[in-house]
Amino acid sequence: MRRGLRPGDLVSGIAALVALFALLPVGFVIWITIQTGWETATALVFRPRVGELLVNTVLLEACTIPLTIILAVALAWLTERTDLPGARIWSWLAVAPLAVPAFVHSYAWVSLAPGLHGLFAGVLVSVIAYFPFLYLPVSAQLRRLDPAIEDAATSLGLGPWAVFRRVVLPQLRLAICGGSLLIGLHLLAEYGLFVMIRFDTFTTAIVDQFQSAYNGPAANMLAGVLVVCCLFLLGLEILIRGNERYARVGSGAARMAIKRRLGPATWLCLLLPAVTTALALGVPFVTLTRWLVAGGAEIWRWPAISAALVQTFALALAGAALTTLAAAPMAWLSVRAPGRLQRILEGCYYYVGSLPGVVIALALVTVTVRVALPLYQTFATVLMAYMLMFLPRALIGLRTSIAQAPVELERVAMALGRTPFQAVCQTTMRLAAPGVAASMALVGLGITTELTATLMLAPNGTRTLATEFWSLTSEIDYAAAAPYALMMVLWSLPLTVMLYAQSKRAAGR
Amino acid sequence: MILLGVQDVSKRYGPVVALDRIDLSVPAGSRTVIVGPSGSGKTTLLRIIAGFEVPDAGRITLDGEVLADGPHVVPAHRRGIGFVPQDGALFPHLSVARNIGFGLDRAMPGRDARILDLMDMVELDRKMLDRRPHELSGGQQQRVALARALARKPRLMLLDEPFSALDAGLRETMRKAVAKVLQAAGITAILVTHDQAEALSFADQVAVLRDSRLAQVGAPQDIYRHPADRKTAEFLGDTIVLSADLRDGWAECRLGRVAVDAPARRGKAEIMLRPEQVQLVQAGPEVGEAEAHGCYGQVTDVEFAGAVCMVAVSLLIPSGAAANAAMSGAPLMIRSLSNDLPPVGSRVRITVTGKAHVFEA
């Protein structure tokens, strides 16, 4: 019998192709460094300007991440483990800032206090915009912890504070590491937030360079340094996280944790979520309302707004479909045929998602200009950038839903005369449909508020909600920008609700 | 000497009464088992003694020191009471050695040696020292949890269903091992379980908890043979309950004349026999003179279950002319060794050994 081409081979082939494509940005950085030549490269990298940016970046990360960890852990503990009045509402409010894109946060702050700038402002707005990324995993993990372990520590003579420090905190380590990494990468990648409060990072410098000199070697070398920063963060997280297991040992359902009585400290403790909410939701709400009221009917220029809405929706839908389609073979492989090669391929998908949009955009610009000029400044290139940026989101959602479809169904379908490809499509993929929808929503909502890559890659005349908002704020027309900010917030609300529900479900509640 | 005193302890969660005026004394050096069906409040009682929950009312004293007086309590970490939770609850982020040494002062001289001693004590291989909890079997995890709780030499050790997650064979080994370790260390222990066999085999003193109240407290043999009421009797093992007429220490019942444990009682009462008190002897088909004195029955069903099997027997009542005996009443379920099982349909003679228990009226 001849061994024909099995569907697994085809799927592996497609997955490998996508993985190869995902290597493009790093390949670009290496290639461009070689092409620039050692001397020019070192001259471009080792100069005071790069040193300045590096100091800024390190300071930003070193101030923002610890503050965010303290805030998120304190909030999570208050909402999950104490009798704080209205804990459920506070926990919703702690996730809600995610619905406000980071650059809308800084828009709100700048219009409230126009003098705000520099490191302090950068740290303040970053903490406010990104703390939900830590709050979500930490509170979910707190809910999952087996309280019996804390009881055991107490019976061994530890006071409440010592129990928290020696038993609870170490078990939160994975959640804290994961969340901090996410925030660290966002800080590296974010453009709009820092431009608005006039704080220079690698990303803002690259976009500046690009806008003045397109893909000159200076911008490319900065991108190289930025990639190194990303890889450094990824490695640091792996190092700190270690490969320890913190899962619950033993069987049976964990008992519910006892809520600690705050007693007279209640009012003091209420201050933390109240102030956080005022800063993270109150400020954007107040500013947006103020601009909307001040602007009146005049700022609702419907033709422009509806054009931006339609274009954003079309881009989001196309990008989401493309990304999900590209992630599907890998997702199927990682569930049905896990192995070493598959893990390496999957690693490519995750790494590219952690790269800043500006690097991906720069790589695509260079490649299209030099290799495939007809693709330069077309929607196809923008969509490819979206695909690379949001591959991990699609992969995670698809993988979990495929894992829930039993492989026996595929076999039964084949026994009933379907070809392997038909069998997968008609059983597993059908059952995974809700997961596909969720992945598409996650990707689509990410695209809606994407700014950097869209600015750099989209054809002239492209108007999305984010770019339109951006050009209006650049002209200091804050009132006219308000409707676009409002639309983006409304768009992002479903995503926020979904993330919140997911974290509750993950904790089994 | 009484080590732990629980007086009048009550606890409710909203409208649900979890514990209703519990009184319990635990003698020093003893092993007390609190047993009851699930939802009876036994874990709540244990958690109140440990200090994880606060009683609404009542007092708890340990060695004369008041631990709880109504809502005024000594916090759990200052009680010096050891606690072994259901699944062991090992710290997943620490090695075996660090789990065991968790409660020991880090600057304590001879700390490492103490940890090794503890491992020997619970018969854990010293090679396990650097293992992580998830690399251990269920039984090993329980041993680590026990060693960890023993490290601080507690006056009292609380065990919350420590064997329920283990499989049957291991459960018995662990039960014996734990009893031995506690005995050797001279530590008073309270164990909570829903398994009556475990309770009866582990305890010096059994406290039966039912519907949030203590139904009975006593030595295992005592409460097994002389349960306070029918529900307790049935919870602790199989029963044969018969109505009887009492006189002069004897009962007249369907099984004939049976000695009872309450010689002073007279008149109608319910008596209880444990199935192992009743023996079956195969009898010939012919009805002899002796018929009038003995009690006979016919086997209606045999349920084979290995060493000990259940035999259903319907009593034969001699009716006037002894030759025509009729079957009467619901069949008795009697345990019989499987090596001389009477076949279905055969006639058996039924005899009773020991005394029947008379329930309080």
Side-chain angles (χ1 to χ4, degrees):
Chain A
M1 280 246 304
R2 194 168 57 90
R3 181 186 177 279
L5 194 67
R6 290 189 306 184
D9 301 334
L10 189 69
V11 174
S12 302
I14 297 173
L17 225 77
V18 176
L20 208 64
F21 186 58
L23 287 176
L24 185 92
V26 156
F28 150 77
V29 166
I30 296 170
W31 173 58
I32 213 80
T33 312
I34 294 170
Q35 229 192 19
T36 310
W38 182 248
E39 247 168 71
T40 325
T42 46
L44 282 171
V45 169
F46 298 100
R47 63 192 165 115
R49 174 67 177 149
V50 176
E52 252 170 56
L53 293 174
L54 197 63
V55 168
N56 272 1
T57 304
V58 169
L59 281 177
L60 182 70
E61 300 266 357
C63 295
T64 307
I65 292 177
L67 279 175
T68 318
I69 291 174
I70 294 168
L71 177 66
V73 171
L75 277 177
W77 186 78
L78 281 175
T79 52
E80 293 299 331
R81 287 297 179 86
T82 67
D83 64 346
L84 189 79
R88 259 189 90 80
I89 296 165
W90 291 123
S91 110
W92 268 105
L93 290 175
V95 181
L98 277 184
V100 184
F103 52 88
V104 174
H105 271 291
S106 75
Y107 154 81
W109 280 92
V110 166
S111 43
L112 194 74
L116 211 60
H117 76 283
L119 179 68
F120 169 76
V123 171
L124 174 76
V125 181
S126 303
V127 169
I128 282 163
Y130 294 126
F131 82 88
F133 283 131
L134 259 166
Y135 173 82
L136 269 175
V138 169
S139 64
Q141 179 68 15
L142 261 182
R143 241 172 285 142
R144 257 195 303 259
L145 289 188
D146 182 0
I149 290 175
E150 286 152 60
D151 288 349
T154 308
S155 76
L156 292 170
L158 263 60
W161 174 239
V163 170
F164 184 76
R165 194 172 48 82
R166 286 183 62 190
V167 176
V168 177
L169 215 50
Q171 295 188 81
L172 295 180
R173 193 156 87 173
L174 276 190
I176 292 176
C177 277
S180 303
L181 175 69
L182 197 61
I183 293 173
L185 292 171
H186 266 94
L187 292 178
L188 288 182
E190 181 56 39
Y191 168 68
L193 192 168
F194 297 116
V195 170
M196 202 118 41
I197 51 161
R198 288 169 284 151
F199 182 73
D200 285 350
T201 67
F202 282 111
T203 298
T204 62
I206 293 169
V207 178
D208 275 353
Q209 284 278 348
F210 177 78
Q211 276 166 349
S212 57
Y214 276 93
N215 52 339
N220 289 338
M221 283 303 103
L222 281 180
V225 179
L226 186 53
V227 169
V228 172
C229 288
C230 277
L231 296 179
F232 176 77
L233 271 189
L234 289 171
L236 193 69
E237 197 258 351
I238 291 171
L239 209 71
I240 296 176
R241 184 184 57 194
N243 48 5
E244 310 208 352
R245 181 192 147 116
Y246 296 118
R248 191 172 121 82
V249 182
S251 57
R255 100 178 8 250
M256 292 274 269
I258 296 178
K259 304 259 177 189
R260 186 167 288 281
R261 295 239 167 91
L262 290 172
T266 305
W267 292 108
L268 201 68
C269 290
L270 266 175
L271 220 57
L272 184 72
V275 169
T276 311
T277 306
L279 295 181
L281 291 174
V283 170
F285 183 77
V286 166
T287 345
L288 267 182
T289 317
R290 210 180 70 193
W291 286 125
L292 286 174
V293 170
E298 192 190 322
I299 55 170
W300 293 88
R301 295 166 201 150
W302 278 110
I305 293 175
S306 54
L309 259 178
V310 167
Q311 217 162 52
T312 308
F313 183 74
L315 270 178
L317 194 68
L322 177 70
T323 312
T324 310
L325 213 61
M330 187 70 248
W332 186 81
L333 270 186
S334 75
V335 174
R336 293 286 188 248
R340 197 214 296 243
L341 178 72
Q342 164 275 321
R343 271 204 302 280
I344 294 172
L345 289 182
E346 208 178 342
C348 294
Y349 286 58
Y350 286 119
Y351 114 86
V352 74
S354 64
L355 287 184
V358 66
V359 174
I360 291 172
L362 215 52
L364 286 176
V365 166
T366 313
V367 169
T368 48
V369 165
R370 301 208 187 171
V371 182
L373 194 60
L375 283 178
Y376 176 63
Q377 282 221 330
T378 60
F379 282 110
T381 319
V382 184
L383 291 179
M384 268 188 256
Y386 290 156
M387 183 191 99
L388 289 177
M389 290 171 75
F390 298 118
L391 264 180
R393 291 193 189 195
L395 190 56
I396 290 169
L398 281 174
R399 207 174 56 172
T400 38
S401 55
I402 290 177
Q404 281 161 2
V407 66
E408 283 74 22
L409 294 181
E410 283 176 29
R411 295 190 182 135
V412 169
M414 284 191 267
L416 292 172
R418 301 289 188 280
T419 67
F421 182 71
Q422 285 173 330
V424 171
C425 288
Q426 290 174 8
T427 59
T428 303
M429 286 306 165
R430 278 293 278 279
L431 288 172
V436 174
S439 307
M440 282 187 63
L442 272 176
V443 175
L445 289 162
I447 291 173
T448 308
T449 54
E450 209 288 327
L451 180 62
T452 333
T454 318
L455 276 180
M456 290 169 69
L457 290 173
N460 288 329
T462 306
R463 289 201 171 78
T464 69
L465 290 176
T467 57
E468 202 64 356
F469 170 82
W470 189 246
S471 68
L472 285 169
T473 51
S474 306
E475 296 157 16
I476 323 287
D477 192 354
Y478 285 174
Y484 294 95
L486 182 68
M487 300 270 171
M488 281 189 283
V489 171
L490 293 180
W491 261 97
S492 307
L493 272 177
L495 168 81
T496 313
V497 173
M498 209 161 86
L499 282 177
Y500 185 82
Q502 227 166 33
S503 87
K504 286 272 171 191
R505 212 173 28 245
R509 237 154 261 164
Chain B
M1 197 199 87
I2 300 302
L3 180 75
L4 179 83
V6 175
Q7 288 140 28
D8 240 10
V9 165
S10 298
K11 173 82 181 171
R12 48 166 65 232
Y13 295 104
V16 183
V17 177
L19 293 174
D20 187 11
R21 283 168 311 188
I22 302 292
D23 274 301
L24 182 65
S25 299
V26 176
S30 72
R31 291 195 300 271
T32 296
V33 174
I34 300 170
V35 63
S38 61
S40 59
K42 53 193 191 305
T43 297
T44 306
L45 179 56
L46 197 75
R47 292 175 61 78
I48 285 178
I49 296 171
F52 303 137
E53 310 245 4
V54 178
D56 296 335
R59 267 163 72 90
I60 295 173
T61 53
L62 181 69
D63 221 356
E65 181 196 347
V66 178
L67 293 185
D69 192 354
H72 306 284
V73 293
V74 175
H77 63 280
R78 300 221 188 90
R79 291 193 178 191
I81 294 178
F83 182 63
V84 179
Q86 208 164 54
D87 297 315
L90 300 184
F91 304 120
H93 58 295
L94 301 178
S95 66
V96 166
R98 292 183 62 194
N99 258 288
I100 294 176
F102 192 89
L104 296 175
D105 199 329
R106 273 183 218 188
M108 175 186 146
R111 189 171 181 275
D112 294 345
R114 172 92 178 120
I115 291 172
L116 288 177
D117 279 352
L118 285 162
M119 288 186 79
D120 293 345
M121 213 156 139
V122 298
E123 289 168 358
L124 260 180
D125 196 333
R126 287 184 175 199
K127 276 181 247 155
M128 307 269 179
L129 212 57
D130 295 318
R131 293 267 182 93
R132 283 307 179 90
H134 64 93
E135 296 169 314
L136 304 181
S137 70
Q140 287 166 340
Q141 287 183 19
Q142 281 298 349
R143 286 174 196 268
V144 175
L146 183 64
R148 182 180 67 181
L150 282 169
R152 287 161 57 86
K153 301 188 178 137
R155 290 172 286 182
L156 177 66
M157 180 77 83
L158 305 178
L159 303 114
D160 184 6
E161 306 218 16
F163 314 123
S164 63
L166 309 177
D167 51 59
L170 193 58
R171 199 179 297 182
E172 219 167 295
T173 325
M174 274 304 290
R175 194 191 303 152
K176 286 194 182 118
V178 170
K180 202 177 95 188
V181 169
L182 291 172
Q183 187 115 47
I187 293 174
T188 314
I190 300 179
L191 182 141
V192 154
T193 181
H194 61 266
D195 179 345
Q196 42 82 24
E198 188 169 292
L200 294 173
S201 65
F202 187 82
D204 304 324
Q205 172 178 264
V206 176
V208 181
L209 202 58
R210 196 176 58 237
D211 299 334
S212 320
R213 313 186 70 147
L214 269 186
Q216 196 172 5
V217 181
Q221 298 88 333
D222 264 3
I223 65 162
Y224 181 73
R225 294 244 181 273
H226 312 294
D229 51 38
R230 198 166 160 169
K231 277 191 172 166
T232 308
E234 281 164 357
F235 179 70
L236 292 172
D238 293 330
T239 57
I240 298 170
V241 177
L242 305 162
S243 37
D245 220 347
L246 304 183
R247 197 184 315 144
D248 305 328
W250 291 87
E252 285 292 342
C253 65
R254 284 164 67 203
L255 296 182
R257 251 163 75 87
V258 178
V260 296
D261 61 356
R265 290 280 296 277
R266 295 181 73 85
K268 298 234 174 272
E270 282 203 314
I271 62 170
M272 181 215 67
L273 289 165
R274 293 291 181 189
E276 63 271 19
Q277 284 180 278
V278 178
Q279 275 94 40
L280 302 177
V281 180
Q282 286 207 51
E286 69 280 358
V287 180
E289 259 313 291
E291 192 91 339
H293 305 296
C295 176
Y296 286 80
Q298 186 167 9
V299 175
T300 55
D301 193 20
V302 174
E303 192 179 302
F304 186 79
V308 178
C309 307
M310 273 296 189
V311 180
V313 179
S314 287
L315 292 181
L316 295 168
I317 306 239
S319 62
N324 296 321
M327 290 192 271
S328 88
L332 296 174
M333 301 303 293
I334 290 162
R335 242 180 250 154
S336 181
L337 291 176
S338 64
N339 53 4
D340 52 26
L341 277 183
V344 175
S346 63
R347 257 165 47 94
V348 287
R349 188 186 150 94
I350 302 167
T351 57
V352 174
T353 54
K355 291 179 175 176
H357 173 64
V358 183
F359 287 124
E360 301 291 319

